[in-house]
Amino acid sequence: MDPSRIVSEFPAPSFRGTQERALRDIREAFEAGNDVVLVRAPTGSGKSLLARAIAGCARRDGEGAPSLPTGAYYTTPQVSQLDDVAGDELLSDLSIIRGKSNYSCILPGDTSTPVDRAPCARERGFDCPVRHRCPYFADRASASNGPVAAMTLAYFMQTAGSEVFGERDVVVIDEAHGLPEWAEMYATIELSPTTVPVWGSCRPPDIEDVSDVEPYAERLLDACSRRQEELRGFVELTEAQTEARDRLATLVRDLGWFLEDLRDADSPTVWVADQSDRASEDPRGGAISIKPLDPARYLHHTVWDRGRRFALLSATMLDKDAFCRGAGLDPSTVALVDVPHTFPVENRPLYDVTQGKMTYEHRGETLPKVARAIARLMAKHDDEKGLIHAHSYDIVDRLVDRLEALGVGDRIRRHDSETRDAALSGWKRSSEPDVFVSVKMEEALDLRGDLCRWQVLCKAPYPNTNDSRVARRLEDGQWAWYYRAALRTVIQACGRVVRAPDDHGATYLADESLLDLFERARSDMPPWFQAQVDRLSRPELPPFDPDLAVGNADRSRGSRRSDAEHIDDHPLSDVWGDG
């Protein structure tokens, strides 16, 4: 890596804000000998442009010994972030590759078939006459040979050990704040009728803890291996058999990894297991989730062994040492570069409209008050779009019902887990001042300008304590991690509605627990967010008036429960469902 090239590799014709200073600081951090540089860069700092400049410092062909790795990877956990990169002319020299399921076969008769289900995947020895024009293999060849290969974090991790995507000189990870959690998610093994093709002949026993999983995992691994061999004997597979073959290959790999790691006395990974209730209405019945805690070993194989130098960028890299512990990094080889915020603090105000606690035990009392406060906010912002972060679909259902009962449903849009992407696209396209009640839209969402001028955080976004990983951490006293996780989500959410120095948008806090969170996690706040919290105030709101809240909305349309089903855009397909 040659950090001295970083300024010349910056892809924009000029610098904005503190970008040039940030590049100098990043260069100095690498020149000081650090293997990993964390770049805490807030919204609007141009993280993707900084990332491209860092990637451009990677060793090139002909520089150094032929055995040394060259080139760079750019990766992000968010599909929507990769889409933004693909559409940015300043980043056109990044070679983007996606998973096979994102490409369609071009053979006559199979043009609606994803490449991972095409004849080349179903038939043994199939000689594709158009492989040289196949969109997937063309993109893969371009990415494997190009100086900067760009992909999602999921694809990057899945290609660990691949000859096509081997070690490179530099790895740049954008939106890297949740890297340990993303690794935990990717390393989680879900065993259910939908993921285990041999489920009928190899159902699990009752599981109390991970020690009960080990013998079942051995038995399941054997059953999967035998079925895998049977399918290999087929000359041609149906699409269903192809899908089963791929699932079996994943299970054999993952179960083998789990058993190896579980039995390794030196492994730092702690495994936990959850099982659904057989007697419940859960159609999976007895399904098991095997989950790792702090999977540092998994990250070494899938990430840290893939490059020589690393840059990790995020607005919410809150605690360097805590991040390093979770990611399996040595803090002495890691530097933190802070990029100042250039958006005026008065353009991104926080307002206290708290109505009580939104914890489960207090929700019944507090939620009606929150709905009434939202109706008053709708009157205050009668000609501006708003976003409600509801935290869960249960809160969405109850909140929308209450808003309709208050007579303000005409401006309300909502989504469910099936229609979220289309509903989001429809709301963004609309010129009406509608209010979108959402779940898990705190990240990877650009609502610049009039796309959204105000938003409400209905509930402090603490991790779910019913999750065995969360429960285990709290049993171990990791409360600082718990508060940091919630604070990180809040900061990410606050960045959705203010996207440029001349942009403006208000964030309203409806849950008292958010104020408590700010007290408990203040030491982890970036200075620019502390400045927002220090200016927190109670706003003056108009009195409750449904007619004023609805404004000029068409009173005949009702709340938008399913108006998005016909829209094909999917700008946020990487964000999860219920939370």
Side-chain angles (χ1 to χ4, degrees), residues 389-411:
H389 297 282
H391 187 70
S392 74
Y393 286 110
D394 173 67
I395 295 177
V396 169
D397 291 339
R398 297 167 65 177
L399 189 59
V400 170
D401 287 346
R402 180 64 61 169
L403 290 168
E404 289 180 339
L406 291 173
V408 299
D410 295 349
R411 273 183 71 190

Side-chain angles (χ1 to χ4, degrees), residues 155-433:
Y155 188 89
F156 180 68
M157 288 181 165
Q158 289 165 6
T159 55
S162 161
E163 293 183 4
V164 177
F165 294 110
E167 183 186 16
R168 294 205 173 190
D169 188 38
V170 173
V171 177
V172 182
I173 305 177
D174 205 350
E175 301 297 343
H177 51 271
L179 184 60
E181 289 80 7
W182 283 96
E184 287 180 1
M185 185 188 75
Y186 294 143
T188 293
I189 306 171
E190 299 285 357
L191 305 177
S192 73
T194 58
T195 62
V196 179
V198 295
W199 181 265
S201 61
C202 197
R203 289 184 64 109
D206 289 332
I207 300 297
E208 293 296 330
D209 56 41
V210 75
S211 63
D212 298 324
V213 176
E214 183 177 0
Y216 173 64
E218 287 182 325
R219 180 162 58 91
L220 182 59
L221 177 59
D222 180 65
C224 289
S225 298
R226 283 187 277 109
R227 179 57 179 158
Q228 193 178 34
E229 286 301 315
E230 291 174 7
L231 291 176
R232 283 174 178 163
F234 287 50
V235 174
E236 182 176 353
L237 301 176
T238 65
E239 284 197 33
Q241 289 171 332
T242 303
E243 183 177 356
R245 178 203 62 192
D246 293 345
R247 289 192 180 279
L248 289 165
T250 299
L251 284 167
V252 168
R253 180 196 66 202
D254 291 350
L255 289 170
W257 167 265
F258 161 66
L259 290 169
E260 176 188 347
D261 191 82
L262 185 67
R263 294 163 179 168
D264 183 354
D266 296 326
S267 173
T269 307
V270 175
W271 293 87
V272 294
D274 293 327
Q275 185 174 38
S276 63
D277 186 356
R278 289 176 185 268
S280 73
E281 295 180 1
D282 185 341
R284 299 185 304 171
I288 297 172
S289 292
I290 308 171
K291 308 172 183 179
L293 290 175
D294 299 331
R297 185 179 176 192
Y298 179 82
L299 279 170
H300 274 281
H301 171 64
T302 58
V303 176
W304 309 130
D305 290 345
R306 307 286 297 281
R308 297 292 182 92
R309 296 286 190 93
F310 297 83
L312 279 58
L313 297 87
S314 172
T316 50
M317 203 74 71
L318 300 182
D319 184 288
K320 172 191 164 184
D321 289 345
F323 179 85
C324 290
R325 283 195 302 272
L329 294 171
D330 178 359
S332 68
T333 66
V334 178
L336 175 63
V337 170
D338 250 321
V339 180
H341 209 311
T342 59
F343 297 0
V345 67
E346 57 269 20
N347 287 6
R348 42 188 173 94
L350 292 176
Y351 291 114
D352 176 2
V353 294
T354 55
Q355 303 297 312
K357 292 187 175 182
M358 281 289 285
T359 54
Y360 183 80
E361 58 270 25
H362 295 101
R363 194 172 302 167
E365 177 185 356
T366 305
L367 190 139
K369 299 176 184 177
V370 170
R372 194 174 181 89
I374 289 173
R376 295 176 68 189
L377 288 168
M378 291 169 65
K380 180 179 178 65
H381 299 275
D382 62 321
D383 61 348
E384 295 177 326
K385 288 184 176 182
L387 177 66
I388 311 298
H389 297 282
H391 187 70
S392 74
Y393 286 110
D394 173 67
I395 295 177
V396 169
D397 291 339
R398 297 167 65 177
L399 189 59
V400 170
D401 287 346
R402 180 64 61 169
L403 290 168
E404 289 180 339
L406 291 173
V408 299
D410 295 349
R411 273 183 71 190
I412 300 299
R413 291 179 182 241
R414 59 164 295 169
H415 67 85
D416 56 31
S417 59
E418 298 297 323
T419 63
R420 59 174 297 119
D421 306 329
L424 173 64
S425 179
W427 173 67
K428 289 173 68 175
R429 289 180 178 184
S430 172
S431 59
E432 298 295 326

Side-chain angles (χ1 to χ4, degrees), residues 458-475:
C458 285
K459 184 182 183 303
Y462 287 110
N464 186 354
T465 54
N466 290 323
D467 185 302
S468 56
R469 286 174 295 195
V470 177
R472 177 63 179 265
R473 283 193 170 101
L474 297 185
E475 287 174 11

